[in-house]
Amino acid sequence: GWRSNATRHVRRRSNATRHARRPRVDGRAAGDASLSAAGDASPSNASDVPPSVAAAANASSSPLAETRCRGLTATARGMCTSIVSSPGIERAATERGGWLCRAALVLHYDRHSYQRSYTRPLSPDTRDAIDGACDFDPANPKFPARRGDAKLVVASVHHNGYGNQLFQYAFAKLWAAASGADFAATLIAPHESPRHTSPKLQAKGGPMFPAKLPPNSEIGWQHFSTAARGRVDRLGVCAPLAPALRQYVGNGTRILGERPADTKRVRLDAQLAGALAASSSNETCLKTIGYWQAYGLYAGLSGFLRTNIERQPLVLVDDPGPDDVVVHVRKCRWDPDRKHPDYFEKDRLYSWDNYFRHIFEHLDLRNGTVKIISVCKLESDVVAELRANVNATIAHPELTNVTANPHHMLRREAAILTDFTYMSRARRLVVTESTLAWWAAFLGDADEVHAPGSGRTPVPAAEAHYIFHDIHSRHYWGRYNTARRSIVYPNGATAEEVFS
């Protein structure tokens, strides 16, 4: 896996430099203009904040902090006060306020990790501190009305598979709504690749060869309807900047890039500050290129996103029944020789013993059946275990207007979208680590979602209808507890205690 530049930078800093930095918020150094090129340090949690920091923050609270931070828990109030009182990106964000402020601070404190390690998300107290400092209420989000003559267009640059593109779409859609700008979506262009295709040319800063698009980009892009792509007529105002040539601002266009290569070239905080000011500057196009996979960006906004994300109205031949349990399987097998392309470490595989057994031994299946959505073969380890233990069957959702010919092009292209639609219509849904399944659960109709309690996909901790199962610590059936402000498992352990 990749080791972030932030981690390397932190290890190189001397103890004197570390101790000279100002107090930490949520276990990270609070941002200012002196941050490294990679942006923020490695993720932590609000429980790491020393009480003295919160006390110091409370002692020096400003009138703005008194207004915005009231009504929070003591821990959240201390962090909120510290945020409001800080310079750098915190000041730029809190002066802007609203969801844009939330997005900037979430990305500053809890950027998505691109390592193969399992990271801890921002705690509920930290999310509340950020929302308080930003004067943002997710229960009643207020977005400015988009003007017909909006100067700025927010262009969502899509890449990788459909699940990843849904994160990219939702992030840019929210940024456009919060800034009163037009929205447009576009497929990534070769010149927007994060790197040169040749390492030697990249080191020399030389010209780029034609770059291939990231895997599954074109397939994922096909599933966004013309209506969902927004004001594509306005994409002409966006200049063709090349990130690999360090082109992030120019000709009225700005790139907000969250990919590791982007944040190594231009500090994330500097990018965020520029993006926050884009709607009030002379710039006409803000391109968002990244993954944007942090739950804090979307917490409490599932209803807003259901309404504002354009989804194609599909008619399936067969929808899941009200008592059926729909299961998504992404990783198919474990391989001790590590030779199979679907290899996954056995103790981290969402297998029958690690994951599904602990769920199904408590589910009532008398009136429903178990349907599997997966690209795995019938004989693959995980699918075979589900078939043997709960008599599960593979579901093959089909559109009513597509020929039954298995080689029909439209049938193959529609498979991802029909799988997503089928999962989103399930009343009981069991998902594993998958961005596609994550959005099917978050935007779907399920009354009961069983999901991973840790991992590389975001943990939507505060969603009331989710039940969490952590295969890494072997804790199961955790639910969000409003009093303790955490996922709490039956033995009383919280998600923070389990993670540590």
Side-chain angles (χ1 to χ4, degrees):
W2 293 345
R3 187 158 59 104
S4 70
N5 192 55
T7 305
R8 289 194 291 268
H9 182 79
V10 168
R11 289 176 179 174
R12 288 199 300 264
R13 281 207 320 261
S14 67
N15 287 334
T17 304
R18 276 197 294 268
H19 294 160
R21 293 175 67 82
R22 53 196 180 75
R24 295 166 70 87
V25 178
D26 192 41
R28 309 173 169 69
D32 58 18
S34 65
L35 280 179
S36 71
D40 31 323
S42 56
S44 185
N45 187 270
S47 60
D48 300 323
V49 179
S52 58
V53 173
N58 279 323
S60 59
S61 61
S62 64
L64 182 61
E66 292 289 346
T67 301
R68 292 192 175 182
C69 302
R70 66 163 60 107
L72 301 177
T73 65
T75 301
R77 186 169 61 252
M79 289 186 287
C80 174
T81 301
S82 181
I83 291 171
V84 172
S85 305
S86 297
I89 188 60
E90 288 98 331
R91 178 170 297 171
T94 53
E95 286 177 353
R96 185 61 192 257
W99 184 86
L100 291 178
C101 170
R102 174 203 257 201
L105 293 180
V106 167
L107 290 170
H108 170 69
Y109 290 123
D110 193 27
R111 279 181 50 223
H112 178 68
S113 171
Y114 297 94
Q115 305 177 71
R116 288 192 62 84
S117 59
Y118 292 84
T119 57
R120 178 166 49 189
L122 294 178
S123 71
D125 275 329
T126 307
R127 293 199 305 269
D128 284 352
I130 289 174
D131 284 347
C134 295
D135 195 23
F136 179 73
D137 181 7
N140 184 29
K142 296 178 180 178
F143 297 107
R146 188 185 64 80
R147 303 190 311 271
D149 59 344
K151 178 180 68 175
L152 181 70
V153 58
V154 177
S156 175
V157 178
H158 286 217
H159 54 90
N160 293 95
Y162 184 58
N164 283 293
Q165 291 188 33
L166 283 170
F167 276 103
Q168 294 152 13
Y169 183 86
F171 176 80
K173 194 86 170 180
L174 283 165
W175 195 286
S179 55
D182 284 333
F183 167 83
T186 181
L187 179 64
I188 192 171
H191 67 265
E192 292 166 335
S193 172
R195 290 186 173 87
H196 295 281
T197 55
S198 166
K200 291 183 179 179
L201 282 177
Q202 182 179 345
K204 295 178 180 179
M208 293 179 294
F209 287 108
K212 293 182 179 179
L213 298 182
N216 303 314
S217 294
E218 292 181 292
I219 295 174
W221 173 244
Q222 292 168 358
H223 300 308
F224 289 87
S225 66
T226 301
R229 296 175 187 181
R231 292 289 307 277
V232 294
D233 59 301
R234 293 213 55 200
L235 290 173
V237 304
C238 299
L241 303 181
L245 300 181
R246 298 182 180 274
Q247 296 174 355
Y248 287 85
V249 181
N251 297 326
T253 298
R254 177 180 295 274
I255 289 177
L256 175 57
E258 181 229 15
R259 299 170 301 184
D262 298 317
T263 57
K264 288 176 183 178
R265 297 186 188 110
V266 182
R267 289 185 304 110
L268 181 63
D269 283 359
Q271 293 190 57
L272 289 169
L276 288 171
S279 60
S280 58
S281 68
N282 293 324
E283 292 165 352
T284 55
C285 176
L286 173 66
K287 286 186 174 182
T288 58
I289 309 179
Y291 293 92
W292 320 114
Q293 293 178 19
Y295 172 59
L297 296 170
Y298 316 104
L301 296 176
S302 59
F304 176 86
L305 291 171
R306 285 191 197 101
T307 303
N308 288 274
I309 287 185
E310 303 272 357
R311 290 187 286 169
Q312 297 188 42
L314 302 182
V315 180
L316 300 181
V317 173
D318 182 32
D319 285 324
D323 296 310
D324 289 343
V325 178
V326 176
V327 176
H328 183 254
V329 176
R330 183 172 182 270
K331 292 294 183 180
C332 307
R333 66 181 72 234
W334 70 280
D335 179 5
D337 297 325
R338 304 191 179 197
K339 294 179 179 179
H340 195 277
D342 287 332
Y343 165 76
F344 210 59
E345 298 173 24
K346 188 173 183 180
D347 65 338
R348 292 183 174 180
L349 178 68
Y350 287 85
S351 64
W352 176 257
D353 286 334
N354 289 348
Y355 188 64
F356 294 109
R357 174 174 64 84
H358 303 276
I359 297 172
F360 280 104
E361 66 186 6
H362 297 293
L363 289 185
D364 184 357
L365 299 176
R366 287 174 294 180
N367 298 319
T369 58
V370 179
K371 304 289 183 66
I372 301 173
I373 293 291
S374 181
V375 296
C376 302
K377 296 179 180 179
L378 288 174
E379 64 272 16
S380 65
D381 296 341
V382 179
V383 171
E385 290 171 343
L386 286 166
R387 294 176 66 208
N389 287 285
V390 290
N391 198 28
T393 58
I394 298 286
H396 296 287
E398 299 288 352
L399 295 173
T400 57
N401 60 344
V402 177
T403 177
N405 181 355
H407 300 293
H408 189 274
M409 179 59 72
L410 183 58
R411 175 189 173 107
R412 294 206 306 270
E413 290 178 351
I416 296 172
L417 198 56
T418 54
D419 284 354
F420 176 83
T421 302
Y422 191 85
M423 286 190 288
S424 68
R425 292 177 182 173
R427 308 303 298 190
R428 295 194 289 178
L429 182 61
V430 180
V431 300
T432 53
E433 284 195 76
S434 158
T435 54
L436 183 73
W438 195 96
W439 280 106
F442 198 68
L443 299 178
D445 302 328
D447 303 313
E448 180 181 327
V449 176
H450 295 264
S454 65
R456 288 187 294 153
T457 52
V459 178
E463 305 299 317
H465 59 298
Y466 277 62
I467 302 168
F468 298 98
H469 310 273
D470 188 349
I471 67 171
H472 308 106
S473 66
R474 299 297 189 266
H475 283 75
Y476 303 91
W477 288 85
R479 291 179 179 269
Y480 184 73
N481 184 299
T482 54
R484 298 183 66 181
R485 306 191 50 70
S486 177
I487 298 171
V488 178
Y489 291 93
N491 67 351
T494 64
E496 290 74 24
E497 293 165 346
V498 165
F499 192 95
S500 61

